[in-house]
Amino acid sequence: MSTSTYLEPLGNMIGGEWRPARSGETLPVEDPATGRPFSQIPASGAADIDDAIASARSTLRSGSWSRLQPSERGRIMWQLASLIRRDGEALAHAETRDSGKPIREAREDIAGTADIFEYYAGAASKLTGQSHPLPSAQLGMVMRFPIGVVGTITPWNFPIYVAAWKVAPALACGNSVILKPSELASLTCLGLGGLALEAGMPAGALNVVSGTGGDAGAPLAGHPDVDLLAFTGGVVTGRKVMSSRAQLVRPVQMELGGKSPNIVFDDADFDRAVRGAAFGIFFAQGENCNAGSRVLVQDTIYERFVEGLAGMARSIRVLPPTDERCQMGALISRAHLEKVAGYVETGVREGARLVTGGRRLDDGALQGGHFYAPTVLADVRPHHRVFTEEIFGPVVVVTPFHDEEEAIQLANATEYGLAAGVWTSNVSRALRCVQEIDSGYVWVNTFNYTPVEAPFGGVKGSGFGRDCGMQALDTYTTWKTVAWATAPFTNWYES
Ligand code: NAD
């Protein structure tokens, strides 16, 4: 398998065929590490989305996937995971070229994607219903069905991995799926469409259609024949998607942004916490929904901690992402780089102290790419914009606190509630924080790991519903109650 296999997609995957966009148009694929285009993807529109939905509906009705023996569905999904592992290196290479993330992180994403399909391969045969004794001698059966045609719209930061969070449980439940990946990183998702077919999935069970949010995402979200729309992306887009689903009165699942607090108490293992805070923000260039982007540090260790974190930031090797030594790669686009840089300027203007970073990197091998230095902004206050708004880049804001009560109050002082970290050696304190912090995930003395076995998702403005774990299966199934009389039927009108 050549490492270039997934760099040039064969088209959209619709109804088991590679198809160009009906318009014949394509979008360029830019390498964030050079700023230069190297490939193209279909620039799909409403007509392509209609085709994909029709194909998904027809496969659903045929029962070739939805009514397949669940263990057989599981075997095909397991086979898909094996093919992902077989092509792991080529997929990782494509992910790196497309998204700018370090090759070693792309390899983790691909292995993680295979894990996700394996987990849900096992789940396919574990879906069960319920029975209830009902009054009037009725037997109540509560049966579980696939929800139907599932649309998924996903972001560019973990392209195939986050897509798998939605696609795998949806397929395990027997749904037919349309995946619309981000136009900024679609290569591996398009590749997934071909691998599903090769694994033995019937045509139309998984359709992948690339295109912009406006041209392809909006028609998918607003289509009445999509029974559920599962979305991961920014809050602004999420609101638009929810509005169009509201007009249809059809369900959505929403995984949105975050501004996750990472709380460091003075009784924590200091070095471990410094390493954890650096990993919490600089992993994936900080382009990570759950990034620990607000580090809250107890005032007794504050200055020492800021220095430690800045030292870690300075030590990170920012290199072309295909370089095996690369520890931090390029941001996704020029526009995004400028947004990140703009936030740093705003923070400094508002009174934050720039401890390290705060500049674009474009010397030598980085020339032309969207590289930004790992950045630490200290003395950030809760009223600063950089304290509450998602920057989505390698920029951490550090804020001191005095005691546990203040730490929790600061942690909860945003619209978001996706994830949080707590660093302490005091078990009772850790438990109190776990209970008091408004978020869907809390790490204690660690950060960032989101294995498929446990549910992931947010509260407040970070969305609702859960990816991962057996909980995700609730999103992709619907219940049907059957009340079955076991006694003679009395005449209601007799007396
Ligand atoms: P985005 O909202 O710009 O785009 C997400 C997807 O929505 C893309 O596929 C895009 O094409 C599509 N889209 C854009 N406009 C649309 C419209 N009008 N109708 C329908 N679809 C539309 O987000 P992004 O920049 O790709 O990703 C970054 C955001 O995603 C961040 O806010 C990040 O926190 C969030 N994110 C969240 C999670 C999570 O699990 N909570 C995971 C990864 C990323």
Side-chain angles (χ1 to χ4, degrees), residues 130-436:
Q130 300 168 345
S131 74
H132 300 263
L134 296 181
S136 312
Q138 295 179 82
L139 172 66
M141 286 188 290
V142 186
M143 301 168 78
R144 213 166 184 191
F145 289 94
I147 200 160
V149 170
V150 172
T152 61
I153 299 180
T154 54
W156 44 261
N157 57 339
F158 293 89
I160 194 174
Y161 182 80
V162 162
W165 272 3
K166 298 188 184 309
V167 168
L171 288 171
C173 297
N175 298 285
S176 293
V177 178
I178 299 110
L179 165 62
K180 205 301 281 176
S182 167
E183 62 273 30
L184 297 178
S186 295
L187 295 180
T188 51
C189 287
L190 288 166
L192 183 69
L195 289 175
L197 208 62
E198 187 183 343
M201 217 168 271
L206 174 60
N207 305 276
V208 189
V209 182
S210 63
T212 64
D215 290 344
L220 181 60
H223 203 293
D225 207 25
V226 171
D227 298 298
L228 169 85
L229 197 290
F231 176 82
T232 295
V235 176
V236 174
T237 317
R239 254 188 223 117
K240 289 185 199 162
V241 168
M242 277 182 76
S243 307
S244 60
R245 299 299 291 167
Q247 300 313 308
L248 299 166
V249 196
R250 292 287 191 285
V252 280
Q253 183 243 7
M254 286 276 137
E255 296 282 356
L256 304 173
K259 189 76 185 179
S260 301
N262 210 352
I263 308 175
V264 184
F265 289 97
D266 61 7
D267 58 16
D269 175 334
F270 186 87
D271 293 338
R272 181 184 175 113
V274 169
R275 287 197 299 271
F279 176 57
I281 181 64
F282 298 125
F283 172 67
Q285 298 81 235
E287 297 170 319
N288 182 2
C289 51
N290 57 243
S293 49
R294 287 185 300 143
V295 176
L296 312 175
V297 185
Q298 197 147 23
D299 47 15
T300 39
I301 56 167
Y302 181 73
E303 274 311 326
R304 201 172 135 231
F305 196 90
V306 167
E307 265 322 301
L309 187 55
M312 286 289 298
R314 289 185 202 105
S315 76
I316 291 172
R317 290 192 298 270
V318 182
L319 288 171
T322 47
D323 187 323
E324 294 290 340
R325 294 165 306 149
C326 171
Q327 293 177 326
M328 204 174 94
L331 302 188
I332 189 72
S333 66
R334 184 65 195 256
H336 188 54
L337 175 83
E338 280 165 9
K339 181 182 152 201
V340 170
Y343 265 116
V344 174
E345 283 164 23
T346 303
V348 170
R349 237 190 350 264
E350 286 177 318
R353 171 163 54 109
L354 178 63
V355 186
T356 187
R359 67 202 165 87
R360 186 178 173 197
L361 301 174
D362 58 0
D363 288 347
L366 306 186
Q367 204 177 20
H370 314 308
F371 296 91
Y372 197 77
T375 298
V376 177
L377 285 177
D379 309 343
V380 170
R381 302 289 157 187
H383 63 276
H384 293 165
R385 276 181 61 196
V386 290
F387 186 85
T388 51
E389 295 180 23
E390 185 182 45
I391 300 175
F392 219 56
V395 179
V396 65
V397 305
V398 195
T399 303
F401 68 83
H402 184 58
D403 56 17
E404 191 180 312
E405 192 186 341
E406 191 189 7
I408 288 169
Q409 183 256 321
L410 286 170
N412 290 339
T414 74
E415 272 303 300
Y416 293 111
L418 191 58
V422 181
W423 301 81
T424 179
S425 55
N426 180 328
V427 176
S428 304
R429 165 176 278 167
L431 269 174
R432 283 194 299 273
C433 290
V434 164
Q435 285 171 323
E436 294 299 321

